[in-house]
């Protein structure tokens, strides 16, 4: 019997009992439908629970099952995902739904190995769906679980190291192998990390497994897991124009292959101070000019800190061809807009009289 096995028996019962009592009521916990579990897990990666809840509900209203999702145009899927970020998740979700329909007759494969073979499904998601929907003793490790395990087992390595990842996955596999309810166990570990064993100031006094926690017993809670080396933030300055053309607003689809490919945005260029440094990136040979300012917004995408100056603009050269489209303000809700464009729309700056209102507000 390994040291992990010995410890496992002292952890399983108290943590499962605590989870039964204390778990938060979350919409995806009302079901074990593999499709719904999968959608929630895809959305929850890198995104906070409170942010995900309304997206999860809306997404399932629009795509209630895997066949509906597979049959939908990718633009519709991106539109429902718009604002959640990490858009590759939406694309792979769509591709995996199509694989479930074409290769598994619309039935979710019920094993960890078969789930892993679907596009975009990695060990974490396969572990989550296999354990929660099918009660297969499949392990999973996300940031919360890694932190809990690092403290319970006093793992010393830096979090981003391969050795740390290997160690956490090995322990997670051993722990789940002998538990009676693998799905509840995995969720209990994640819940403990999210609500008690938090990155800062964990609430050890109300932790159900503190008597078996190596970090708590050796007073090393604050130093484990060892902090990640912070990625430096890249500052980006943008100029975004709101251009009204023949009763619509000019928008373009972001080019394939780059960040946020396929999402729809306002004319945007990178600037340095007031200087335009990349005028050619307007795209499609069009030239715009700035007429008057509307305001400024800040936006963060992973490690990019974006500050955007927003102005009313005018098209001075070229014709909006295939790259650009004119869209009425009332249609915006149906499009897969970038987060920045959504923010600007929410400020009311896409309305035809936005510049007028700003002037009136400022007494100009
Ligand atoms: Fe985390 Fe503290 Fe519980 Fe250990 S005792 S698992 S550090 S909350």
């Amino acid at each position: 019997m390994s040291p992990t096995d010995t410890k496992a028996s002292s952890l399983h019962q108290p943590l499962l009992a605590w989870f039964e009592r204390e778990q938060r009521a979350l919409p995806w916990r009302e079901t074990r439908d593999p499709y719904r579990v999968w959608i929630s897990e895809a959305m929850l990666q890198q995104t906070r629970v409170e942010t995900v809840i309304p997206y999860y509900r809306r997404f399932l209203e629009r795509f209630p099952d895997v066949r509906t999702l597979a049959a939908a145009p990718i633009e519709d899927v991106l539109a429902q995902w718009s604002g959640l970020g990490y858009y590759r998740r939406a694309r792979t979700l769509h591709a995996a739904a199509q694989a479930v329909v074409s290769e598994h007759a619309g039935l979710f494969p019920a094993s960890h190995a078969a789930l892993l073979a679907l596009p975009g499904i990695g060990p974490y998601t396969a572990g989550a769906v296999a354990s929660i929907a099918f009660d297969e003793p499949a392990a999973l490790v996300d940031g919360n679980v890694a932190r809990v395990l690092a403290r319970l087992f006093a793992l010393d390595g830096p979090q981003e190291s391969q050795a740390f990842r290997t160690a956490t996955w090995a322990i997670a596999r051993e722990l789940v192998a002998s538990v009676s309810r693998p799905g509840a166990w995995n969720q209990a570990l994640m819940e403990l990390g999210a609500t008690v064993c938090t990155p800062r100031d964990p609430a050890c006094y109300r932790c159900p497994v503190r008597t078996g926690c190596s970090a708590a017993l050796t007073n090393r809670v604050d130093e484990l897991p060892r902090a990640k080396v912070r990625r430096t933030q890249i500052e980006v300055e943008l100029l975004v124009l709101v251009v009204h053309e023949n009763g619509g607003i000019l928008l373009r689809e972001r080019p394939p292959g780059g960040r946020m490919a396929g999402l729809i945005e306002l004319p945007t260029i990178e600037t340095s101070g007031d200087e335009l440094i990349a005028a050619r990136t307007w795209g499609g040979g069009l030239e715009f000019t700035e007429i008057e300012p509307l305001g400024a917004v800040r936006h963060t995408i992973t490690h990019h800190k974006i500050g955007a100056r927003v102005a009313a603009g005018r098209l001075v050269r070229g014709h909006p061809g295939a790259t650009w489209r004119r869209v009425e303000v009332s249609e915006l809700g149906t499009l897969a807009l970038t987060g920045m464009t959504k923010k600007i729309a929410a400020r009311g700056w896409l309305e035809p009289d936005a510049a007028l209102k700003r002037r009136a507000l400022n007494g100009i």
Side-chain angles (χ1 to χ4, degrees), residues 217-258:
L217 294 171
T218 56
N219 203 17
R220 298 181 65 203
V221 172
D222 289 340
E223 62 188 79
L224 294 175
R226 281 224 251 127
K228 281 186 186 163
V229 180
R230 281 184 79 82
R231 255 179 118 168
T232 37
Q233 291 262 335
I234 300 169
E235 303 259 353
V236 180
E237 286 179 50
L238 299 179
L239 170 64
V240 183
L241 292 187
V242 178
V243 179
H244 287 274
E245 256 291 285
N246 293 339
I249 295 169
L250 278 188
L251 296 166
R252 71 160 186 172
E253 194 169 303
R254 286 186 64 89

Side-chain angles (χ1 to χ4, degrees), residues 340-357:
M340 172 68 83
T341 306
K342 273 187 153 183
K343 257 187 195 174
I344 293 169
R347 303 271 170 98
W349 294 339
L350 302 191
E351 302 295 335
D353 58 353
L356 203 70
K357 280 185 182 156

Side-chain angles (χ1 to χ4, degrees), residues 32-233:
R32 290 182 64 186
D33 173 357
Y35 173 68
R36 289 172 181 244
V37 172
W38 173 53
I39 299 297
S40 69
E41 291 299 338
M43 288 186 168
L44 284 164
Q45 285 170 41
Q46 323 273 359
T47 312
R48 291 157 51 84
V49 163
E50 303 74 41
T51 308
V52 166
I53 291 173
Y55 279 92
Y56 173 81
R57 291 206 166 109
R58 277 198 300 268
F59 197 91
L60 288 173
E61 258 170 45
R62 170 67 183 84
F63 312 113
D65 51 50
V66 72
R67 285 185 185 279
T68 320
L69 177 59
I74 183 65
E75 293 75 27
D76 284 8
V77 181
L78 289 169
Q80 292 299 323
W81 201 272
S82 173
L84 263 182
Y86 299 95
Y87 293 91
R88 211 167 63 84
R89 291 182 296 177
R91 291 181 182 282
T92 53
L93 211 59
H94 190 237
Q98 290 179 331
V100 169
V101 170
S102 63
E103 294 163 23
H104 301 275
L107 289 175
F108 249 84
S111 79
H112 183 260
L115 285 162
L116 259 184
L118 292 172
I121 295 202
Y124 168 81
T125 310
V129 177
S131 64
I132 298 169
F134 303 114
D135 247 340
E136 182 179 335
L140 59 78
V141 177
D142 67 353
N144 283 327
V145 174
R147 181 172 59 257
V148 170
L149 296 181
R151 288 172 175 163
L152 283 174
F153 292 84
L155 300 178
D156 259 321
Q159 280 182 75
E160 64 272 32
S161 71
Q162 187 54 45
F164 180 84
R165 271 195 288 275
T166 306
T168 49
W169 273 95
I171 293 174
R173 277 190 209 102
E174 278 201 52
L175 290 175
V176 80
S178 55
V179 75
S180 54
R181 290 179 293 142
W185 169 255
N186 281 337
Q187 291 183 83
L189 274 177
M190 291 192 279
E191 187 77 348
L192 189 72
T195 61
V196 177
C197 194
T198 48
R200 283 194 205 145
D201 303 325
C204 299
Y205 66 93
R206 59 184 176 91
C207 176
V209 288
R210 64 184 172 282
T211 53
C213 175
S214 299
L217 294 171
T218 56
N219 203 17
R220 298 181 65 203
V221 172
D222 289 340
E223 62 188 79
L224 294 175
R226 281 224 251 127
K228 281 186 186 163
V229 180
R230 281 184 79 82
R231 255 179 118 168
T232 37
Q233 291 262 335

